[in-house]
């Protein structure tokens, strides 16, 4: 019987697999290798740091850090969106002109849009394209949606996750700073239905093993599971209060006077 891969080897192999897939499908295999690390930076799902590591021969490599605290509490689709966001910073460092400090400039924004991620200061349509703290959302039928759908219909999964995470199911907002080093950004504030649909479409033709964070059961690839009854949506407000109700509700929070936003249409997460 073959010995299972060690957790360290398995975790980094999965992240490397995702990096190589997106490099090939979104960047024409033009990005150099980097060192992917796991970091628990507070209020950060990931960041990019250029030339962060060196070896004994004087060679340098960049770092893309991913926060494992989020692996179990957000859909794997959003984790991949964070990875690609940071890959755009890596692309700009090597082939463009990064903004000063943590500023996300127009060149970066244009690159993001060209691969199917629209920069937005709010994580939703209408937000600013550039700025210090940036989010993004996936464009319907864009290159990222298509590429992510391809990845998640292979044997890809994120097997290991942090079971003592303290982030819970709180929504992410522009206050969650992603760029704790050079570059970075916010993931979308809501689960993008285009990404969910990419899995639903691919599910009709391919079935493989375990594509979700921590899910290694058979015949679950591309399966969109319900977190609640199909007639209930989850809504969140700026002060992180969660409520469940029927689709299409318009709710004002009595605590912060903010508007509740549908965080998970039909309660869909990826398992």
């Amino acid at each position: 019987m073959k010995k299972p891969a060690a957790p360290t080897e398995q975790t980094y192999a999965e992240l490397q697999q995702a990096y190589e897939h997106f490099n090939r499908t979104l960047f024409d295999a033009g990005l150099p290798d980097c060192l992917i690390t796991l970091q628990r930076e507070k209020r950060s799902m990931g960041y990019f740091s250029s030339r962060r590591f060196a070896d004994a021969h004087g060679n340098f490599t960049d770092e893309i850090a991913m926060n494992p605290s989020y692996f179990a509490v957000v859909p794997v689709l959003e984790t991949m969106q964070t990875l690609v966001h940071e890959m755009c910073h890596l692309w700009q460092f090597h082939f463009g002109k990064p903004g000063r400090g943590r500023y996300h400039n127009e060149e970066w924004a244009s690159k993001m849009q060209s691969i199917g991620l629209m920069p937005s200061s709010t994580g939703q349509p209408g937000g600013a394209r550039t700025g210090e703290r940036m989010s993004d959302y996936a464009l319907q039928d864009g290159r990222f949606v298509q590429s992510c759908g391809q990845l998640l219909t292979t044997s890809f999964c994120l097997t290991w996750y942090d079971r003592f995470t303290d982030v819970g199911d709180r929504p992410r907002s522009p206050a969650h700073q992603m760029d704790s080093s050079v570059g970075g950004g916010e993931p979308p504030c809501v689960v993008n239905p285009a990404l969910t649909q990419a899995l639903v479409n691919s599910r009709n033709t391919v079935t493989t093993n375990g594509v979700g964070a921590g899910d290694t059961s058979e015949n679950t690839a591309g399966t969109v599971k319900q977190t609640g009854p199909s007639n209930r949506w989850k809504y969140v407000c700026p002060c992180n209060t969660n409520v469940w109700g029927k689709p299409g509700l318009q709710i004002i929070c009595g605590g912060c006077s903010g508007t509740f936003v549908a965080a998970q249409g039909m309660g869909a997460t990826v398992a």
Side-chain angles (χ1 to χ4, degrees):
M1 183 176 179
K2 183 178 179 181
K3 180 182 178 181
T8 298
E9 178 184 0
Q10 194 170 23
T11 297
Y12 284 96
E14 290 165 356
L15 291 172
Q16 183 65 28
Q17 178 186 352
Y19 181 90
E20 292 176 357
H21 171 80
F22 291 122
N23 189 14
R24 182 176 64 256
T25 59
L26 300 178
F27 298 90
D28 298 322
L31 299 184
D33 290 328
C34 69
L35 182 55
I36 301 175
T37 65
L38 297 181
Q39 301 283 353
R40 289 188 179 86
E41 293 284 344
K42 290 186 179 297
R43 301 169 67 85
S44 168
M45 282 190 69
Y47 64 79
F48 166 72
S49 184
S50 62
R51 293 167 60 89
R52 187 62 179 260
F53 289 88
D55 66 13
H57 303 289
N59 300 310
F60 297 93
T61 192
D62 308 311
E63 175 189 26
I64 288 181
M66 302 291 291
N67 190 339
S69 298
Y70 288 89
F71 288 2
V73 297
V74 302
V76 66
L77 297 160
E78 292 197 36
T79 301
M80 296 299 98
Q81 193 163 337
T82 299
L83 175 63
V84 172
H85 181 123
E86 306 312 330
M87 290 174 71
C88 276
H89 284 294
L90 187 151
W91 169 86
Q92 188 177 40
F93 174 76
H94 288 278
F95 305 108
K97 296 181 179 180
R100 180 175 299 177
R102 295 170 177 168
Y103 187 77
H104 298 67
N105 61 21
E106 181 59 34
E107 180 187 61
W108 173 86
S110 295
K111 183 63 176 180
M112 286 278 287
Q113 185 174 352
S114 73
I115 63 172
L117 293 177
M118 178 61 73
S120 170
S121 58
T122 63
Q124 301 179 46
R129 282 170 51 87
T130 61
E132 290 284 336
R133 300 180 181 181
M134 292 299 297
S135 181
D136 55 78
Y137 59 90
L139 296 172
Q140 184 76 32
D141 299 324
R143 294 176 62 197
F144 172 77
V145 169
Q146 296 172 10
S147 178
C148 203
Q150 295 167 6
L151 177 66
L152 297 180
T153 56
T154 67
S155 59
F156 178 80
C157 65
L158 291 176
T159 302
W160 297 95
Y161 59 93
D162 185 353
R163 66 190 184 96
F164 294 113
T165 178
D166 62 355
V167 298
D169 64 348
R170 295 187 302 241
R172 284 153 296 143
S173 69
H176 283 70
Q177 181 178 333
M178 295 283 295
D179 50 348
S180 47
S181 186
V182 181
E186 288 281 335
C189 295
V190 298
V191 177
N192 190 287
L195 300 182
T196 300
Q197 189 60 45
L199 285 186
V200 173
N201 292 341
S202 62
R203 175 187 179 190
N204 295 329
T205 57
V206 180
T207 301
T208 55
N209 295 336
V211 297
D215 189 340
T216 57
S217 60
E218 294 185 355
N219 299 325
T220 57
T223 301
V224 177
K225 293 186 176 180
Q226 301 294 337
T227 59
S230 61
N231 63 341
R232 298 175 69 221
W233 283 17
K234 178 181 177 181
Y235 298 83
V236 296
C237 77
C239 69
N240 296 337
T241 299
N242 302 332
V243 299
W244 291 85
K246 65 181 182 180
L249 289 179
Q250 296 182 352
I251 314 171
I252 300 297
C253 178
C256 67
S257 299
T259 301
F260 280 82
V261 176
Q264 293 182 337
M266 301 301 288
T269 59
V270 177

